[in-house]
Amino acid sequence: MGITDTLCQALQRHSQDILNVMSLVSTTKDLIQNLRENGWDELLNNVIAFCETWELDVPDTNARYIASRSRSKKEDIMVEHHHRVDIYFAIIDTQLLELNSRFNETVALDPKEFFKFFGIEKIFALVNKFYSTDFSQQKKEHLSYELKHYELHACPYPELRKILTLFNLCKNLVESRKSVSYPLVDKLIHLILTLSVSIASIEHVFSAMKIVKTKLCTKMEDDFLKNSLVV
């Protein structure tokens, strides 16, 4: 929970850069994976130390595990194996599975590491998934050619190689007037910057409803409630 807390707090902020979030997702996955591979011994030592400090019975990790319900012994399954594999690994693997399923994409226009993740196919997958209504079929064809020119001309550009965020990339394209040469690429970057990273704003709106619709106004009609919320 301590490892994932930083990511959870970032996802609940009103204003958040998608690249920062994806970086936090990556570091969170790495820390959880490291916990899976190297954290068991430390956890077990902490449990033993806690039991000794408070004069509690220390579990015998070498004893055979007995299921609490059936009370039947499982062959070749020890207490240590049950807690390490069936509980510790299972919980961590569930967390990693959820993170991989919810955050399984890299931002193809990420300027970090000299556009390491730049890929025209990835960008088109992004356009078709999130912005299919923002680009007509004709503009998508033009975008493919723009991206080819952009990859050869703009990506190696010395000034762009120093940029680390999409916001600064968008700003630099405007200042260097490359946004005129690559208008569709510039439009796509603007759209990515407005991509909703979290639902924090929506949650805050629902939290504010109770300020308007109090116990004294439980019979308030929907139209009047909506007008009050607009105010």
Side-chain angles (χ1 to χ4, degrees), residues 160 163 167-180 182 186-187 189-190:
L160 293 182
I163 295 174
F167 172 78
N168 289 330
L169 174 62
C170 181
K171 182 179 178 181
N172 185 276
L173 287 176
V174 174
E175 292 176 347
S176 62
R177 297 193 59 78
K178 285 185 172 57
S179 58
V180 178
Y182 309 108
D186 182 64
K187 177 182 178 180
I189 295 175
H190 275 82

Side-chain angles (χ1 to χ4, degrees), residues 108-123:
L109 285 166
D110 188 349
K112 290 182 180 178
E113 300 184 35
F114 310 134
F115 294 87
K116 175 182 177 181
F117 301 108
F118 186 90
I120 296 177
E121 293 181 359
K122 293 180 181 179
I123 295 173

Side-chain angles (χ1 to χ4, degrees), residues 149-160:
H149 285 282
Y150 180 83
E151 183 178 17
L152 293 175
H153 175 232
C155 289
Y157 193 72
E159 292 300 321
L160 293 182

Side-chain angles (χ1 to χ4, degrees), residues 55-155:
E55 299 180 354
L56 302 173
D57 293 335
V58 179
D60 184 4
T61 56
N62 295 320
R64 287 194 175 185
Y65 172 70
I66 301 176
S68 58
R69 292 183 179 179
S70 63
R71 308 302 296 175
S72 60
K73 294 182 179 179
K74 295 182 179 180
E75 295 183 0
D76 301 328
I77 293 184
M78 304 299 178
V79 171
E80 190 269 346
H81 179 275
H82 168 69
H83 286 89
R84 178 170 56 88
V85 177
D86 297 338
I87 299 178
Y88 183 77
F89 285 172
I91 292 174
I92 292 178
D93 289 343
T94 300
Q95 283 189 313
L96 288 174
L97 180 64
E98 289 294 326
L99 285 172
N100 288 326
S101 63
R102 295 172 184 270
F103 305 97
N104 59 352
E105 298 172 355
T106 56
V107 181
L109 285 166
D110 188 349
K112 290 182 180 178
E113 300 184 35
F114 310 134
F115 294 87
K116 175 182 177 181
F117 301 108
F118 186 90
I120 296 177
E121 293 181 359
K122 293 180 181 179
I123 295 173
F124 263 89
L126 181 72
V127 171
N128 291 325
K129 184 174 181 179
F130 295 105
Y131 311 113
S132 58
T133 59
D134 296 287
F135 294 91
S136 64
Q137 187 60 38
Q138 184 179 9
K139 286 187 176 181
K140 287 180 183 179
E141 294 177 2
H142 285 301
L143 177 62
S144 66
Y145 290 107
E146 273 194 21
L147 288 170
K148 291 177 182 179
H149 285 282
Y150 180 83
E151 183 178 17
L152 293 175
H153 175 232
C155 289

Side-chain angles (χ1 to χ4, degrees), residues 171-225:
K171 182 179 178 181
N172 185 276
L173 287 176
V174 174
E175 292 176 347
S176 62
R177 297 193 59 78
K178 285 185 172 57
S179 58
V180 178
S181 302
Y182 309 108
L184 295 178
V185 175
D186 182 64
K187 177 182 178 180
L188 179 58
I189 295 175
H190 275 82
L191 289 171
I192 293 176
L193 286 172
T194 61
L195 181 65
S196 178
V197 177
S198 72
I199 58 172
S201 299
I202 300 173
E203 290 176 347
H204 280 86
V205 169
F206 280 104
S207 299
M209 284 182 65
K210 60 185 179 182
I211 300 175
V212 176
K213 194 169 185 179
T214 61
K215 292 182 179 179
L216 297 177
C217 303
T218 53
K219 295 183 179 180
M220 184 184 296
E221 295 181 357
D222 291 341
D223 290 339
F224 186 72
L225 173 61

